[in-house]
Amino acid sequence: MKAKVEEMMASVIIRNPGEPEFHQAVREVVESLTPFLEKNPKYKEAKIIERMVEPERVIMFRVPWVDDKGEIQINRGYRIQMNSAIGPYKGGIRLHPSVNLSILKFLAFEQVLKNSLTTLPMGGAKGGSDFDPKGKSDNEVMRFCQTFMSELFRHIGPDLDVPAGDIGTGGREIGFMFGQYKKLKNEFTGVLTGKGLSWGGSLIRPEATGYGCVYFVQEMLKTRGESLKGKVCAVSGSGNVAQYTVEKLIQLGAKVVTLSDSDGFIYDEGGIDQKELKCVLDLKNVRRGRIKECAKEFKCKYFEKQRPWQVKCDIAFPSATQNEISGDDAKALVKNGCIAVGEGANMPTTPEGIGVFQKAKILYAPGKASNAGGVATSGLEMSQNSMRLSWTREEVDKRLHDIMIAIHDNCVKYGKEGSYIDYVKGANIAGFVKVADAMLAHGVV
Ligand SMILES: NC(=O)C1=CN([C@@H]2O[C@H](COP(=O)(O)OP(=O)(O)OC[C@H]3O[C@@H](n4cnc5c(N)ncnc54)[C@H](OP(=O)(O)O)[C@@H]3O)[C@@H](O)[C@H]2O)C=CC1
Ligand SMILES: N=C(CCC(=O)O)C(=O)O
């Protein structure tokens, strides 16, 4: 089996040189699928996985804009339209200086299997730019978003490709992009998700990724007769995913002790409460400040330039960025008694870290399964837009919860090995099957 994996990876590496994050995402799936493909030759003979790792389309474009000082700035924009076998392309837009082809191809590839797991008709895509919204004025962000959309609008649409948020792309950026799209196309459609409630957005979409991750971890704990009540939780990040992961954890009686950003993390041993969370939401979403400022207000410790994984906790929720949990971080978590990991971020654990978690047989949920609540609720936003109606908060939350339970149960179906559940294998196979069957039916396209 190992030889077959290396043979496949050799061709992926040759065809996609210098793209380590993409190789990492593909290798994890190829390792899960190779034994399955041996038992299911119809997929192997049709070269489904070989076709799946090749994007259907990659769009790259220049994004020039003028800053507040009147100086011309130049960024690069991308849209990776990975796979449309089961529905229109669907995936976020990441605005971060680290954005490049490798990062967006890994995200787009993960999105294909993630969207399949949601049971909703959505293909996989991802886009973005190396533009950094941090420290920019609202007017500069608006001018960038308008120029970015002035190119992207040719390649997207409600039945073609529906972008949404990701790192650096929140409600503000979606609003500016939507306004420009509407002006250029002279039509009002559900072409983006994460929209504002007064112009086609869905209730629960801001909360969805965080809520969904907690719902998934709840299902994992149930397989061992455990619950979230009283569990000490370490959360990384302090953006959209982290904020609502914390909110749902507090609601379910867990104790959240950390939050972070790219400068460091706060450690609140007594647990972050609703009032303190409200302060984080205001700090990050309104004042666009740094998590360090909370340390003073919460009278808790702050650790400069460190990640929160040396902190003693029962459950870890990595909700910042890729490869933020190394092998050593994973060893520290297991040594300190961590029993479960729920990935809110995309690919936040390195392959070494995953190996440590699986060797220790802890409950480990890969992001493509546990963070699928965000895109699932984007799918629910698309459904509401198509019907030109809005569901209540309770209706959307119930659908989200049911989808996360279904994803968990599908992972168990394909991942159970004796008393242990390999959620990586389960998610990769469960996500693959629906896409592969559609690709078989569509012929060699
Ligand atoms: N938004 C969504 O719907 C979904 C997002 N995700 C994933 O969740 C993760 C977080 O996204 P989201 O909350 O939307 O993004 P936000 O931009 O709202 O927040 C990102 C958070 O992560 C931190 N961060 C970003 N890059 C780094 C880095 N290189 N090192 C350390 N910290 C970093 C940011 O800190 P700072 O402010 O200092 O940059 C910030 O606290 C990403 O992996 C994203 O792909 C997954 C599913 C859905
Ligand atoms: N950034 C997202 C959300 C994508 C979406 O809602 O279309 C992800 O699933 O990684």
Side-chain angles (χ1 to χ4, degrees), residues 400-429:
L400 167 62
H401 200 164
D402 290 346
I403 286 170
M404 296 316 293
I405 292 170
I407 294 174
H408 175 268
D409 294 349
N410 216 0
C411 289
V412 173
K413 178 182 167 190
Y414 288 101
K416 195 159 175 57
E417 294 175 342
S419 60
Y420 182 65
I421 300 165
D422 179 344
Y423 286 94
V424 174
K425 179 180 155 199
N428 287 331
I429 295 174

PDB file of all heavy atoms in Angstrom, residues 400-429:
ATOM      1  N   LEU A 400     -28.555  22.772  11.250  1.00  0.00           N
ATOM      2  CA  LEU A 400     -27.106  22.702  11.418  1.00  0.00           C
ATOM      3  C   LEU A 400     -26.754  21.540  12.343  1.00  0.00           C
ATOM      4  O   LEU A 400     -25.880  20.716  12.021  1.00  0.00           O
ATOM      5  CB  LEU A 400     -26.571  24.017  11.993  1.00  0.00           C
ATOM      6  CG  LEU A 400     -25.133  24.007  12.509  1.00  0.00           C
ATOM      7  CD1 LEU A 400     -24.133  23.693  11.401  1.00  0.00           C
ATOM      8  CD2 LEU A 400     -24.783  25.350  13.175  1.00  0.00           C
ATOM      9  N   HIS A 401     -27.428  21.448  13.475  1.00  0.00           N
ATOM     10  CA  HIS A 401     -27.141  20.385  14.458  1.00  0.00           C
ATOM     11  C   HIS A 401     -27.367  19.013  13.822  1.00  0.00           C
ATOM     12  O   HIS A 401     -26.530  18.107  13.933  1.00  0.00           O
ATOM     13  CB  HIS A 401     -28.032  20.565  15.686  1.00  0.00           C
ATOM     14  CG  HIS A 401     -27.530  19.879  16.914  1.00  0.00           C
ATOM     15  ND1 HIS A 401     -27.998  20.158  18.187  1.00  0.00           N
ATOM     16  CD2 HIS A 401     -26.585  18.916  17.090  1.00  0.00           C
ATOM     17  CE1 HIS A 401     -27.372  19.392  19.069  1.00  0.00           C
ATOM     18  NE2 HIS A 401     -26.512  18.624  18.426  1.00  0.00           N
ATOM     19  N   ASP A 402     -28.467  18.859  13.112  1.00  0.00           N
ATOM     20  CA  ASP A 402     -28.775  17.575  12.455  1.00  0.00           C
ATOM     21  C   ASP A 402     -27.712  17.224  11.405  1.00  0.00           C
ATOM     22  O   ASP A 402     -27.314  16.058  11.279  1.00  0.00           O
ATOM     23  CB  ASP A 402     -30.163  17.617  11.780  1.00  0.00           C
ATOM     24  CG  ASP A 402     -31.295  17.661  12.808  1.00  0.00           C
ATOM     25  OD1 ASP A 402     -31.010  17.387  14.007  1.00  0.00           O
ATOM     26  OD2 ASP A 402     -32.434  17.985  12.419  1.00  0.00           O
ATOM     27  N   ILE A 403     -27.234  18.220  10.679  1.00  0.00           N
ATOM     28  CA  ILE A 403     -26.193  17.977   9.663  1.00  0.00           C
ATOM     29  C   ILE A 403     -24.902  17.515  10.342  1.00  0.00           C
ATOM     30  O   ILE A 403     -24.255  16.548   9.892  1.00  0.00           O
ATOM     31  CB  ILE A 403     -25.934  19.243   8.815  1.00  0.00           C
ATOM     32  CG1 ILE A 403     -27.100  19.475   7.833  1.00  0.00           C
ATOM     33  CG2 ILE A 403     -24.613  19.134   8.036  1.00  0.00           C
ATOM     34  CD1 ILE A 403     -27.060  20.817   7.124  1.00  0.00           C
ATOM     35  N   MET A 404     -24.524  18.141  11.453  1.00  0.00           N
ATOM     36  CA  MET A 404     -23.289  17.752  12.147  1.00  0.00           C
ATOM     37  C   MET A 404     -23.410  16.330  12.702  1.00  0.00           C
ATOM     38  O   MET A 404     -22.438  15.557  12.662  1.00  0.00           O
ATOM     39  CB  MET A 404     -22.964  18.746  13.270  1.00  0.00           C
ATOM     40  CG  MET A 404     -22.661  20.163  12.803  1.00  0.00           C
ATOM     41  SD  MET A 404     -21.579  20.334  11.356  1.00  0.00           S
ATOM     42  CE  MET A 404     -20.026  19.715  12.006  1.00  0.00           C
ATOM     43  N   ILE A 405     -24.593  15.966  13.189  1.00  0.00           N
ATOM     44  CA  ILE A 405     -24.801  14.591  13.672  1.00  0.00           C
ATOM     45  C   ILE A 405     -24.675  13.608  12.502  1.00  0.00           C
ATOM     46  O   ILE A 405     -24.022  12.563  12.605  1.00  0.00           O
ATOM     47  CB  ILE A 405     -26.180  14.455  14.365  1.00  0.00           C
ATOM     48  CG1 ILE A 405     -26.195  15.268  15.670  1.00  0.00           C
ATOM     49  CG2 ILE A 405     -26.510  12.982  14.640  1.00  0.00           C
ATOM     50  CD1 ILE A 405     -27.572  15.398  16.316  1.00  0.00           C
ATOM     51  N   ALA A 406     -25.237  13.986  11.345  1.00  0.00           N
ATOM     52  CA  ALA A 406     -25.159  13.122  10.153  1.00  0.00           C
ATOM     53  C   ALA A 406     -23.712  12.967   9.683  1.00  0.00           C
ATOM     54  O   ALA A 406     -23.274  11.859   9.324  1.00  0.00           O
ATOM     55  CB  ALA A 406     -26.025  13.703   9.034  1.00  0.00           C
ATOM     56  N   ILE A 407     -22.948  14.045   9.701  1.00  0.00           N
ATOM     57  CA  ILE A 407     -21.531  13.972   9.306  1.00  0.00           C
ATOM     58  C   ILE A 407     -20.790  13.034  10.260  1.00  0.00           C
ATOM     59  O   ILE A 407     -20.030  12.156   9.832  1.00  0.00           O
ATOM     60  CB  ILE A 407     -20.878  15.373   9.314  1.00  0.00           C
ATOM     61  CG1 ILE A 407     -21.494  16.258   8.224  1.00  0.00           C
ATOM     62  CG2 ILE A 407     -19.358  15.263   9.101  1.00  0.00           C
ATOM     63  CD1 ILE A 407     -21.010  17.699   8.244  1.00  0.00           C
ATOM     64  N   HIS A 408     -21.048  13.210  11.547  1.00  0.00           N
ATOM     65  CA  HIS A 408     -20.375  12.344  12.532  1.00  0.00           C
ATOM     66  C   HIS A 408     -20.703  10.871  12.276  1.00  0.00           C
ATOM     67  O   HIS A 408     -19.817  10.009  12.208  1.00  0.00           O
ATOM     68  CB  HIS A 408     -20.785  12.735  13.956  1.00  0.00           C
ATOM     69  CG  HIS A 408     -20.221  11.814  14.997  1.00  0.00           C
ATOM     70  ND1 HIS A 408     -20.897  10.702  15.459  1.00  0.00           N
ATOM     71  CD2 HIS A 408     -19.001  11.792  15.604  1.00  0.00           C
ATOM     72  CE1 HIS A 408     -20.137  10.050  16.329  1.00  0.00           C
ATOM     73  NE2 HIS A 408     -18.987  10.684  16.429  1.00  0.00           N
ATOM     74  N   ASP A 409     -21.994  10.583  12.089  1.00  0.00           N
ATOM     75  CA  ASP A 409     -22.415   9.186  11.900  1.00  0.00           C
ATOM     76  C   ASP A 409     -21.825   8.600  10.615  1.00  0.00           C
ATOM     77  O   ASP A 409     -21.445   7.419  10.580  1.00  0.00           O
ATOM     78  CB  ASP A 409     -23.949   9.102  11.885  1.00  0.00           C
ATOM     79  CG  ASP A 409     -24.544   9.466  13.257  1.00  0.00           C
ATOM     80  OD1 ASP A 409     -23.748   9.567  14.231  1.00  0.00           O
ATOM     81  OD2 ASP A 409     -25.768   9.686  13.344  1.00  0.00           O
ATOM     82  N   ASN A 410     -21.666   9.417   9.576  1.00  0.00           N
ATOM     83  CA  ASN A 410     -21.072   8.958   8.309  1.00  0.00           C
ATOM     84  C   ASN A 410     -19.578   8.669   8.489  1.00  0.00           C
ATOM     85  O   ASN A 410     -19.025   7.712   7.941  1.00  0.00           O
ATOM     86  CB  ASN A 410     -21.291  10.011   7.231  1.00  0.00           C
ATOM     87  CG  ASN A 410     -21.548   9.382   5.864  1.00  0.00           C
ATOM     88  OD1 ASN A 410     -21.566   8.161   5.709  1.00  0.00           O
ATOM     89  ND2 ASN A 410     -21.728  10.227   4.880  1.00  0.00           N
ATOM     90  N   CYS A 411     -18.930   9.494   9.322  1.00  0.00           N
ATOM     91  CA  CYS A 411     -17.503   9.254   9.627  1.00  0.00           C
ATOM     92  C   CYS A 411     -17.333   7.951  10.385  1.00  0.00           C
ATOM     93  O   CYS A 411     -16.391   7.181  10.145  1.00  0.00           O
ATOM     94  CB  CYS A 411     -16.944  10.406  10.468  1.00  0.00           C
ATOM     95  SG  CYS A 411     -16.743  11.943   9.577  1.00  0.00           S
ATOM     96  N   VAL A 412     -18.249   7.670  11.310  1.00  0.00           N
ATOM     97  CA  VAL A 412     -18.191   6.414  12.082  1.00  0.00           C
ATOM     98  C   VAL A 412     -18.385   5.216  11.155  1.00  0.00           C
ATOM     99  O   VAL A 412     -17.659   4.215  11.232  1.00  0.00           O
ATOM    100  CB  VAL A 412     -19.253   6.418  13.204  1.00  0.00           C
ATOM    101  CG1 VAL A 412     -19.313   5.059  13.900  1.00  0.00           C
ATOM    102  CG2 VAL A 412     -18.954   7.522  14.221  1.00  0.00           C
ATOM    103  N   LYS A 413     -19.311   5.366  10.220  1.00  0.00           N
ATOM    104  CA  LYS A 413     -19.620   4.265   9.274  1.00  0.00           C
ATOM    105  C   LYS A 413     -18.369   3.825   8.515  1.00  0.00           C
ATOM    106  O   LYS A 413     -18.114   2.624   8.370  1.00  0.00           O
ATOM    107  CB  LYS A 413     -20.693   4.753   8.295  1.00  0.00           C
ATOM    108  CG  LYS A 413     -21.079   3.745   7.220  1.00  0.00           C
ATOM    109  CD  LYS A 413     -22.112   4.347   6.274  1.00  0.00           C
ATOM    110  CE  LYS A 413     -22.283   3.501   5.008  1.00  0.00           C
ATOM    111  NZ  LYS A 413     -23.113   4.219   3.992  1.00  0.00           N
ATOM    112  N   TYR A 414     -17.568   4.758   8.078  1.00  0.00           N
ATOM    113  CA  TYR A 414     -16.385   4.425   7.268  1.00  0.00           C
ATOM    114  C   TYR A 414     -15.089   4.407   8.084  1.00  0.00           C
ATOM    115  O   TYR A 414     -14.052   4.020   7.580  1.00  0.00           O
ATOM    116  CB  TYR A 414     -16.233   5.421   6.125  1.00  0.00           C
ATOM    117  CG  TYR A 414     -17.253   5.262   5.022  1.00  0.00           C
ATOM    118  CD1 TYR A 414     -18.364   6.104   4.945  1.00  0.00           C
ATOM    119  CD2 TYR A 414     -17.118   4.260   4.054  1.00  0.00           C
ATOM    120  CE1 TYR A 414     -19.306   5.959   3.940  1.00  0.00           C
ATOM    121  CE2 TYR A 414     -18.050   4.113   3.041  1.00  0.00           C
ATOM    122  CZ  TYR A 414     -19.141   4.963   2.984  1.00  0.00           C
ATOM    123  OH  TYR A 414     -20.075   4.818   1.977  1.00  0.00           O
ATOM    124  N   GLY A 415     -15.161   4.873   9.359  1.00  0.00           N
ATOM    125  CA  GLY A 415     -13.918   4.994  10.110  1.00  0.00           C
ATOM    126  C   GLY A 415     -13.759   4.070  11.289  1.00  0.00           C
ATOM    127  O   GLY A 415     -12.708   4.020  11.919  1.00  0.00           O
ATOM    128  N   LYS A 416     -14.830   3.308  11.603  1.00  0.00           N
ATOM    129  CA  LYS A 416     -14.769   2.477  12.819  1.00  0.00           C
ATOM    130  C   LYS A 416     -13.833   1.290  12.609  1.00  0.00           C
ATOM    131  O   LYS A 416     -13.933   0.578  11.630  1.00  0.00           O
ATOM    132  CB  LYS A 416     -16.170   1.967  13.171  1.00  0.00           C
ATOM    133  CG  LYS A 416     -16.300   1.409  14.599  1.00  0.00           C
ATOM    134  CD  LYS A 416     -17.744   1.409  15.073  1.00  0.00           C
ATOM    135  CE  LYS A 416     -17.868   0.739  16.462  1.00  0.00           C
ATOM    136  NZ  LYS A 416     -17.020   1.386  17.495  1.00  0.00           N
ATOM    137  N   GLU A 417     -12.885   1.145  13.524  1.00  0.00           N
ATOM    138  CA  GLU A 417     -11.931   0.023  13.469  1.00  0.00           C
ATOM    139  C   GLU A 417     -11.880  -0.600  14.866  1.00  0.00           C
ATOM    140  O   GLU A 417     -11.197  -0.092  15.744  1.00  0.00           O
ATOM    141  CB  GLU A 417     -10.539   0.521  13.049  1.00  0.00           C
ATOM    142  CG  GLU A 417     -10.493   1.059  11.633  1.00  0.00           C
ATOM    143  CD  GLU A 417      -9.126   1.666  11.279  1.00  0.00           C
ATOM    144  OE1 GLU A 417      -8.347   1.976  12.204  1.00  0.00           O
ATOM    145  OE2 GLU A 417      -8.867   1.848  10.075  1.00  0.00           O
ATOM    146  N   GLY A 418     -12.737  -1.620  15.060  1.00  0.00           N
ATOM    147  CA  GLY A 418     -12.801  -2.204  16.401  1.00  0.00           C
ATOM    148  C   GLY A 418     -13.432  -1.189  17.338  1.00  0.00           C
ATOM    149  O   GLY A 418     -14.469  -0.603  17.031  1.00  0.00           O
ATOM    150  N   SER A 419     -12.756  -0.914  18.463  1.00  0.00           N
ATOM    151  CA  SER A 419     -13.355   0.019  19.435  1.00  0.00           C
ATOM    152  C   SER A 419     -12.933   1.464  19.127  1.00  0.00           C
ATOM    153  O   SER A 419     -13.447   2.410  19.711  1.00  0.00           O
ATOM    154  CB  SER A 419     -12.892  -0.353  20.847  1.00  0.00           C
ATOM    155  OG  SER A 419     -11.469  -0.265  20.881  1.00  0.00           O
ATOM    156  N   TYR A 420     -11.995   1.639  18.154  1.00  0.00           N
ATOM    157  CA  TYR A 420     -11.505   2.994  17.865  1.00  0.00           C
ATOM    158  C   TYR A 420     -12.151   3.525  16.599  1.00  0.00           C
ATOM    159  O   TYR A 420     -12.433   2.762  15.663  1.00  0.00           O
ATOM    160  CB  TYR A 420      -9.975   2.980  17.694  1.00  0.00           C
ATOM    161  CG  TYR A 420      -9.388   4.348  17.432  1.00  0.00           C
ATOM    162  CD1 TYR A 420      -9.448   5.344  18.407  1.00  0.00           C
ATOM    163  CD2 TYR A 420      -8.786   4.659  16.197  1.00  0.00           C
ATOM    164  CE1 TYR A 420      -8.914   6.612  18.174  1.00  0.00           C
ATOM    165  CE2 TYR A 420      -8.257   5.921  15.959  1.00  0.00           C
ATOM    166  CZ  TYR A 420      -8.324   6.902  16.947  1.00  0.00           C
ATOM    167  OH  TYR A 420      -7.807   8.145  16.716  1.00  0.00           O
ATOM    168  N   ILE A 421     -12.424   4.810  16.550  1.00  0.00           N
ATOM    169  CA  ILE A 421     -12.979   5.430  15.337  1.00  0.00           C
ATOM    170  C   ILE A 421     -11.907   6.323  14.737  1.00  0.00           C
ATOM    171  O   ILE A 421     -11.469   7.302  15.358  1.00  0.00           O
ATOM    172  CB  ILE A 421     -14.249   6.251  15.658  1.00  0.00           C
ATOM    173  CG1 ILE A 421     -15.332   5.365  16.271  1.00  0.00           C
ATOM    174  CG2 ILE A 421     -14.769   6.926  14.378  1.00  0.00           C
ATOM    175  CD1 ILE A 421     -16.457   6.142  16.944  1.00  0.00           C
ATOM    176  N   ASP A 422     -11.456   5.979  13.521  1.00  0.00           N
ATOM    177  CA  ASP A 422     -10.473   6.789  12.799  1.00  0.00           C
ATOM    178  C   ASP A 422     -11.266   7.807  11.977  1.00  0.00           C
ATOM    179  O   ASP A 422     -11.723   7.522  10.875  1.00  0.00           O
ATOM    180  CB  ASP A 422      -9.635   5.890  11.885  1.00  0.00           C
ATOM    181  CG  ASP A 422      -8.601   6.675  11.086  1.00  0.00           C
ATOM    182  OD1 ASP A 422      -8.742   7.918  11.004  1.00  0.00           O
ATOM    183  OD2 ASP A 422      -7.661   6.050  10.545  1.00  0.00           O
ATOM    184  N   TYR A 423     -11.461   8.996  12.562  1.00  0.00           N
ATOM    185  CA  TYR A 423     -12.306  10.015  11.910  1.00  0.00           C
ATOM    186  C   TYR A 423     -11.657  10.567  10.642  1.00  0.00           C
ATOM    187  O   TYR A 423     -12.341  11.048   9.748  1.00  0.00           O
ATOM    188  CB  TYR A 423     -12.618  11.146  12.892  1.00  0.00           C
ATOM    189  CG  TYR A 423     -13.636  10.785  13.956  1.00  0.00           C
ATOM    190  CD1 TYR A 423     -13.237  10.320  15.215  1.00  0.00           C
ATOM    191  CD2 TYR A 423     -15.003  10.869  13.704  1.00  0.00           C
ATOM    192  CE1 TYR A 423     -14.168   9.972  16.175  1.00  0.00           C
ATOM    193  CE2 TYR A 423     -15.942  10.524  14.667  1.00  0.00           C
ATOM    194  CZ  TYR A 423     -15.518  10.076  15.896  1.00  0.00           C
ATOM    195  OH  TYR A 423     -16.456   9.717  16.855  1.00  0.00           O
ATOM    196  N   VAL A 424     -10.323  10.482  10.543  1.00  0.00           N
ATOM    197  CA  VAL A 424      -9.637  10.947   9.324  1.00  0.00           C
ATOM    198  C   VAL A 424     -10.035  10.046   8.160  1.00  0.00           C
ATOM    199  O   VAL A 424     -10.515  10.499   7.120  1.00  0.00           O
ATOM    200  CB  VAL A 424      -8.103  10.939   9.504  1.00  0.00           C
ATOM    201  CG1 VAL A 424      -7.405  11.282   8.192  1.00  0.00           C
ATOM    202  CG2 VAL A 424      -7.688  11.892  10.606  1.00  0.00           C
ATOM    203  N   LYS A 425      -9.893   8.758   8.378  1.00  0.00           N
ATOM    204  CA  LYS A 425     -10.262   7.770   7.340  1.00  0.00           C
ATOM    205  C   LYS A 425     -11.762   7.877   7.036  1.00  0.00           C
ATOM    206  O   LYS A 425     -12.180   7.942   5.881  1.00  0.00           O
ATOM    207  CB  LYS A 425      -9.926   6.370   7.854  1.00  0.00           C
ATOM    208  CG  LYS A 425     -10.278   5.242   6.898  1.00  0.00           C
ATOM    209  CD  LYS A 425      -9.909   3.899   7.512  1.00  0.00           C
ATOM    210  CE  LYS A 425     -10.755   2.763   6.928  1.00  0.00           C
ATOM    211  NZ  LYS A 425     -10.741   1.571   7.792  1.00  0.00           N
ATOM    212  N   GLY A 426     -12.555   7.976   8.087  1.00  0.00           N
ATOM    213  CA  GLY A 426     -14.009   8.037   7.912  1.00  0.00           C
ATOM    214  C   GLY A 426     -14.433   9.245   7.096  1.00  0.00           C
ATOM    215  O   GLY A 426     -15.218   9.124   6.148  1.00  0.00           O
ATOM    216  N   ALA A 427     -13.877  10.416   7.435  1.00  0.00           N
ATOM    217  CA  ALA A 427     -14.246  11.653   6.722  1.00  0.00           C
ATOM    218  C   ALA A 427     -13.794  11.597   5.268  1.00  0.00           C
ATOM    219  O   ALA A 427     -14.541  11.962   4.354  1.00  0.00           O
ATOM    220  CB  ALA A 427     -13.637  12.859   7.426  1.00  0.00           C
ATOM    221  N   ASN A 428     -12.575  11.123   5.034  1.00  0.00           N
ATOM    222  CA  ASN A 428     -12.039  11.111   3.662  1.00  0.00           C
ATOM    223  C   ASN A 428     -12.807  10.147   2.765  1.00  0.00           C
ATOM    224  O   ASN A 428     -13.145  10.484   1.625  1.00  0.00           O
ATOM    225  CB  ASN A 428     -10.545  10.771   3.686  1.00  0.00           C
ATOM    226  CG  ASN A 428      -9.714  11.933   4.199  1.00  0.00           C
ATOM    227  OD1 ASN A 428     -10.087  13.093   4.046  1.00  0.00           O
ATOM    228  ND2 ASN A 428      -8.601  11.624   4.844  1.00  0.00           N
ATOM    229  N   ILE A 429     -13.135   8.961   3.284  1.00  0.00           N
ATOM    230  CA  ILE A 429     -13.872   8.000   2.452  1.00  0.00           C
ATOM    231  C   ILE A 429     -15.320   8.453   2.271  1.00  0.00           C
ATOM    232  O   ILE A 429     -15.843   8.480   1.157  1.00  0.00           O
ATOM    233  CB  ILE A 429     -13.801   6.586   3.059  1.00  0.00           C
ATOM    234  CG1 ILE A 429     -12.360   6.076   3.035  1.00  0.00           C
ATOM    235  CG2 ILE A 429     -14.717   5.631   2.274  1.00  0.00           C
ATOM    236  CD1 ILE A 429     -12.150   4.739   3.736  1.00  0.00           C
TER     237      ILE A 429
END
